Amino acid sequence: MDNYRLLIVDDDENLRLGMVTMLENEGFEVHQAENGRAGIEQLENGVYDLIITDYKMNEMDGLRFLQQLKADYPSMKVIMVTGFGTIENAVEAMKLGAINYIQKPVKPKKLIELIHSILGSGKTDEVSEEHKQQRLQKYYHFHKLVGQSKPMQQVYRKIKEVVPTDIPVLIIGESGTGKEMIANAIHDLSSRKDNPFIAVNTGAIPKELIASELFGHLKGAFTGAISDKKGKFEEANKGTLFLDEIGTMSAEVQISLLRVLETQVIERVGSNRSIKVDVRIIAASNESLEKMIEENRFREDLYYRLNVFAIELPPLRDRKQDIPYLANYYRESFNMELSRKIETITPRAIEVLQAYHWPGNVRELRNVILRAVLTANNQIDVKHLPNNIVKPGLAQVNITFKPGVALSEVEKTMIIQTLKAVHGNKLKAATILGISRRSLYNKLEEYQIGEAEL
């Protein structure tokens, strides 16, 4: 093991020296640097098998150090140590090239196991996009969409119906339901698949710039227009333009969009020259456009132009059968993206995921699995899930008993009252009672508690 050379980069001298001593005792050859800049100097004079760097440091912090490593030493293996950042910081570090991360306070055994696993695994090969899609193929149920619940089957049928045509499509669904993925599927399955798919989140663009973003502009058309610029319509020519959050457009831009839909002609801002475009429009909204029309916030004529063919995307709470597929799809995807080896999600964790209401829909589930992949070792269990999902709004159950009541009667009453408090949700009741769902079912059978008592 003394052939392995490690470099410890940390501006906290006590922590750095402690880690050096610990790893030297394990038989590694260990060198040290007090910050990223000093670490770069060390690398110019020596070769290392692994670098362990702190996230927050003076001079050059961990992320800047990683960026430099990626540029100059792309094959270098790095572990990021963080006691300050969030999970997002760890994700950023791993995308910049870190193989893994470990949180403070560093547990010696865990760190040593991690080092052995990295140095014993050889170089991690990059996963090509083609290979990634092959590995994810088993999770797809329609094109690159995941889910086989009845609501999603209806969506698939709608997609099949509209794909052969060139008519506008309006996708309605809550935030986080995957509207852009549906739009992408329509494009990929259509005759326009070999031409551009351009997605624009109109709600994220300042209202004064949306016209320029969509239609382009001429040099000098407004302050900051330093050169001619093509708009998204021109970029999407012969292809598909996806306009998300369509309801955020100003009245003026709505008029311009209506004109384009009617004529397939645009004019750049600052120009009166017409430019012919051939673009299929797919629009999306997480708000009720009908209500916006009633409130005079959206043009009725534009609505009818966009709403030639509507697809309603169900929220995740209405397609909970798909959660195991989606969770494992993201697990596998993040395994490849972040070089992790999380093999499974336990049945208990799946039960918890299916019991949750998911106000943030598929996007929220994706983020939960991302955090779990980063914190788990071999499998994702309940302990790797956020508290708000494991214990969502636990009910307060207050029960009083007279002295001398039999223990079995106390237990039976607690079970009944808890189930009533959570409206019959057995998984949530089991969580509150601190028992497994199987144990709860056994108790229901033992005490002959039926639905009528709940």
Side-chain angles (χ1 to χ4, degrees):
M1 193 59 63
D2 56 1
N3 291 326
Y4 287 127
R5 289 164 50 90
L6 311 183
L7 176 63
I8 310 299
V9 184
D10 195 326
D11 62 355
D12 186 318
E13 185 176 7
N14 290 331
L15 290 176
R16 187 175 72 246
L17 292 176
M19 197 176 296
V20 168
T21 301
M22 175 187 71
L23 294 173
E24 283 180 341
N25 290 337
E26 286 294 311
F28 296 103
E29 179 182 343
V30 189
H31 297 247
Q32 57 180 299
E34 67 263 26
N35 55 49
R37 199 176 307 281
I40 294 296
E41 292 176 3
Q42 291 265 45
L43 285 163
E44 291 173 353
N45 300 312
V47 177
Y48 298 93
D49 298 293
L50 177 68
I51 296 174
I52 303 170
T53 179
D54 194 17
Y55 178 85
K56 189 176 180 66
M57 297 182 291
N58 296 321
E59 290 284 328
M60 179 186 282
D61 65 20
L63 286 184
R64 287 177 59 206
F65 180 46
L66 269 176
Q67 288 173 327
Q68 188 71 46
L69 286 175
K70 187 175 182 180
D72 297 339
Y73 307 93
S75 65
M76 183 62 66
K77 296 179 174 68
V78 182
I79 296 173
M80 177 69 77
V81 179
T82 176
F84 301 87
T86 62
I87 291 294
E88 285 72 19
N89 296 136
V91 173
E92 181 68 14
M94 295 178 80
K95 287 185 175 180
L96 285 173
I99 285 183
N100 214 317
Y101 85 104
I102 192 165
Q103 291 180 311
K104 292 180 180 178
V106 175
K107 296 179 180 178
K109 183 179 178 182
K110 184 174 181 180
L111 176 61
I112 291 165
E113 288 176 352
L114 183 58
I115 292 171
H116 284 307
S117 69
I118 291 171
L119 295 180
S121 62
K123 184 176 179 180
T124 301
D125 294 325
E126 287 189 18
V127 180
S128 68
E129 185 61 29
E130 182 179 359
H131 179 55
K132 180 177 180 180
Q133 291 304 324
Q134 288 174 350
R135 283 178 60 176
L136 294 176
Q137 188 68 40
K138 61 185 175 182
Y139 299 107
Y140 295 142
H141 294 108
F142 179 83
H143 189 51
K144 295 178 183 178
L145 301 174
V146 179
Q148 58 180 5
S149 61
K150 186 175 180 180
M152 286 307 294
Q153 296 296 341
Q154 294 171 353
V155 171
Y156 302 156
R157 282 195 291 272
K158 287 274 193 178
I159 293 173
K160 285 182 178 179
E161 288 173 14
V162 81
V163 158
T165 74
D166 237 2
I167 60 176
V169 178
L170 180 62
I171 304 172
I172 305 296
E174 296 177 7
S175 293
T177 48
K179 295 185 287 293
E180 184 173 340
M181 294 188 70
I182 299 299
N184 224 320
I186 294 171
H187 172 79
D188 287 347
L189 295 169
S190 75
S191 59
R192 295 176 178 264
K193 61 184 179 181
D194 295 325
N195 296 307
F197 174 84
I198 304 295
V200 182
N201 185 341
T202 59
I205 302 170
K207 290 187 176 182
E208 63 272 15
L209 296 179
I210 186 66
S212 167
E213 191 71 19
L214 292 178
F215 310 122
H217 63 250
L218 294 186
K219 179 180 179 180
F222 51 86
T223 302
I226 59 175
S227 62
D228 291 357
K229 177 191 173 185
K230 281 185 177 182
K232 298 301 183 184
F233 270 92
E234 287 181 80
E235 291 181 17
N237 194 39
K238 304 294 184 183
T240 303
L241 181 62
F242 173 60
L243 301 174
D244 200 4
E245 295 190 37
I246 195 78
T248 61
M249 286 184 173
S250 67
E252 293 79 13
V253 176
Q254 288 181 38
I255 293 171
S256 298
L257 180 58
L258 177 61
R259 188 180 303 121
V260 175
L261 286 167
E262 291 174 342
T263 65
Q264 288 283 294
V265 170
I266 65 164
E267 289 181 2
R268 292 183 182 179
V269 177
S271 170
N272 57 9
R273 184 173 71 90
S274 297
I275 301 174
K276 188 75 175 176
V277 290
D278 174 14
V279 176
R280 182 184 196 165
I281 299 294
I282 301 179
S285 176
N286 56 18
E287 292 187 77
S288 168
L289 295 181
E290 292 95 333
K291 184 177 180 181
M292 294 182 71
I293 291 169
E294 292 174 4
E295 297 170 350
N296 294 317
R297 293 191 292 136
F298 199 82
R299 291 182 64 93
E300 188 172 17
D301 47 3
L302 176 58
Y303 171 72
Y304 288 121
R305 276 285 181 179
L306 293 171
N307 192 29
V308 177
F309 189 95
I311 297 177
E312 293 190 19
L313 201 50
L316 187 55
R317 61 183 171 275
D318 290 345
R319 47 177 296 220
K320 288 190 173 183
Q321 307 96 312
D322 295 330
I323 286 176
Y325 299 105
L326 286 162
N328 279 292
Y329 164 79
Y330 286 123
R331 173 189 58 79
E332 184 72 1
S333 179
F334 290 131
N335 271 343
M336 289 183 282
E337 185 177 341
L338 302 173
S339 300
R340 302 286 285 162
K341 294 182 180 179
I342 309 302
E343 296 178 1
T344 59
I345 304 175
T346 66
R348 174 71 173 148
I350 290 292
E351 286 182 0
V352 170
L353 292 173
Q354 287 186 299
Y356 183 58
H357 191 61
W358 297 108
N361 291 297
V362 179
R363 184 184 296 128
E364 184 182 6
L365 174 62
R366 175 192 180 278
N367 292 339
V368 166
I369 299 302
L370 169 58
R371 286 160 173 76
V373 165
L374 285 168
T375 55
N377 289 322
N378 298 316
Q379 63 179 12
I380 294 172
D381 202 356
V382 175
K383 65 183 179 182
H384 302 116
L385 304 178
N387 285 335
N388 68 303
I389 288 177
V390 177
K391 301 177 181 179
L394 294 183
Q396 295 297 314
V397 184
N398 297 312
I399 307 171
T400 57
F401 299 96
K402 294 179 180 179
V405 176
L407 184 60
S408 59
E409 189 63 30
V410 172
E411 188 174 51
K412 178 180 178 180
T413 302
M414 287 183 67
I415 291 171
I416 292 172
Q417 293 302 317
T418 302
L419 282 165
K420 284 182 177 179
V422 296
H423 310 290
N425 187 318
K426 294 181 176 61
L427 176 59
K428 193 180 290 187
T431 302
I432 294 172
L433 293 166
I435 59 177
S436 69
R437 192 161 70 165
R438 172 49 51 198
S439 295
L440 176 60
Y441 280 121
N442 290 339
K443 292 292 182 182
L444 292 176
E445 185 176 346
E446 178 184 347
Y447 296 130
Q448 297 183 331
I449 300 172
E451 295 296 327
E453 295 182 73
L454 306 179

